[in-house]
Amino acid sequence: IFRDLQEHDLKKNFELKTEIIEKLRALQQSNKIKETERLIKIYRNEWDEIGPVPTPKWDLIKQNYKEVLDQTYIKIKAHYHSFEEQKENNLKLKQEILEKIKELISSVEPKANKWNEATEKVISFQSEWKKIGRTKENENEKTWAEFRNLCDSFFENKKEFFTGLNQNYSNNRKIKSDLISQAEALQNSIDWQKTGLDLIKLQDTWKKHPGNGDKEESK
């Protein structure tokens, strides 16, 4: 009876260990690496807790267990290697964006329409940046800080340009209002020659000052 019970236990242990091997094989089909790592630990503990199997079958099942365990770890290692490669690629993509922004900042022409065109490009760079995944931890914060500083620098430069432009527009409005007043003072003059020359001078002065860039200009 004891021998029969012992053989039954050995057979049952063999079945349990075989089930663990099948569970490990199933893990190789999963893409959830963290979950796979967690389950491997559980299955290895279960394997160790299961008693002996029939002696003639031990070498084969032990070999199968080792092989499937090694294959699963190889898959995990390959995943992390691929993950690191992706991080390297992400770093390259982000560095390319940084260079594009630097070039844009240094080359934008001091014109309102050029600044607006450059702004659209910077916004597109920001959108592109968000789509790129993380880089290595020691590079992630560094590249983000540089990207943020470049964007801040661009918009600060844009603000300064338009502040100066609006100031020029304001000065031009004052100058043109004065020219209008001078022209109005001459409109009833009948000293045609002198008045004609004075009006031409006023026109020449008007042309020297750029448009105000607002709806009041046409008036």
Side-chain angles (χ1 to χ4, degrees):
I1 292 174
F2 174 77
R3 187 166 55 250
D4 288 344
L5 290 173
Q6 188 179 45
E7 289 179 358
H8 176 269
D9 288 344
L10 292 174
K11 181 180 178 181
K12 183 63 177 177
N13 291 342
F14 179 79
E15 291 174 355
L16 292 173
K17 286 183 179 286
T18 301
E19 288 177 6
I20 290 177
I21 291 174
E22 293 305 316
K23 289 179 181 179
L24 287 169
R25 285 200 177 100
L27 286 181
Q28 295 179 20
Q29 307 304 318
S30 174
N31 293 322
K32 300 177 180 179
I33 299 301
K34 292 295 183 182
E35 179 69 4
T36 297
E37 290 178 315
R38 185 183 71 83
L39 289 174
I40 281 181
K41 293 179 181 179
I42 293 174
Y43 296 156
R44 291 186 67 174
N45 288 335
E46 290 179 356
W47 174 277
D48 292 337
E49 291 173 359
I50 298 171
V53 302
T55 302
K57 296 182 178 181
W58 170 242
D59 288 340
L60 179 59
I61 196 171
K62 181 174 69 172
Q63 180 181 347
N64 290 340
Y65 172 71
K66 183 179 182 305
E67 287 178 356
V68 72
L69 199 61
D70 289 344
Q71 289 169 1
T72 308
Y73 278 123
I74 287 173
K75 179 181 178 179
I76 293 173
K77 185 176 180 180
H79 166 79
Y80 282 114
H81 181 70
S82 175
F83 194 54
E84 290 302 313
E85 286 184 339
Q86 183 62 51
K87 284 184 177 181
E88 286 288 346
N89 186 56
N90 290 342
L91 178 60
K92 290 179 182 178
L93 293 174
K94 288 184 175 182
Q95 287 174 336
E96 288 176 3
I97 292 178
L98 293 176
E99 291 304 317
K100 289 178 182 178
I101 296 179
K102 289 177 184 177
E103 182 180 354
L104 189 64
I105 291 175
S106 63
S107 63
V108 62
E109 296 181 42
K111 297 179 181 179
N113 64 325
K114 296 300 181 182
W115 272 104
N116 290 330
E117 290 175 5
T119 300
E120 292 180 2
K121 290 181 180 179
V122 170
I123 291 173
S124 70
F125 290 150
Q126 291 175 329
S127 178
E128 187 179 345
W129 184 280
K130 291 178 182 178
K131 295 177 182 178
I132 301 173
R134 295 177 65 84
T135 63
K136 291 183 177 180
E137 291 304 319
N138 61 335
E139 293 287 349
N140 204 64
E141 292 301 322
K142 178 182 175 182
T143 53
W144 165 246
E146 185 176 0
F147 176 71
R148 183 182 56 203
N149 290 337
L150 284 173
C151 290
D152 289 346
S153 176
F154 171 83
F155 286 108
E156 184 61 31
N157 291 345
K158 178 185 176 182
K159 180 181 177 181
E160 290 179 4
F161 169 78
F162 278 101
T163 298
L165 191 65
N166 289 332
Q167 183 61 48
N168 289 336
Y169 286 163
S170 178
N171 293 337
N172 289 339
R173 289 189 192 98
K174 293 178 182 178
I175 292 171
K176 289 184 175 182
S177 293
D178 182 59
L179 292 174
I180 290 171
S181 297
Q182 293 181 51
E184 287 174 342
L186 294 172
Q187 65 181 342
N188 295 320
S189 172
I190 58 174
D191 188 351
W192 308 116
Q193 185 174 3
K194 182 178 182 305
T195 301
L197 292 173
D198 289 341
L199 286 173
I200 290 173
K201 289 179 181 178
L202 293 178
Q203 289 174 327
D204 288 340
T205 304
W206 183 283
K207 292 175 183 178
K208 293 177 181 178
H209 299 279
N212 290 334
D214 57 22
K215 295 179 181 178
E216 296 299 317
E217 179 67 20
S218 58
K219 291 183 181 181

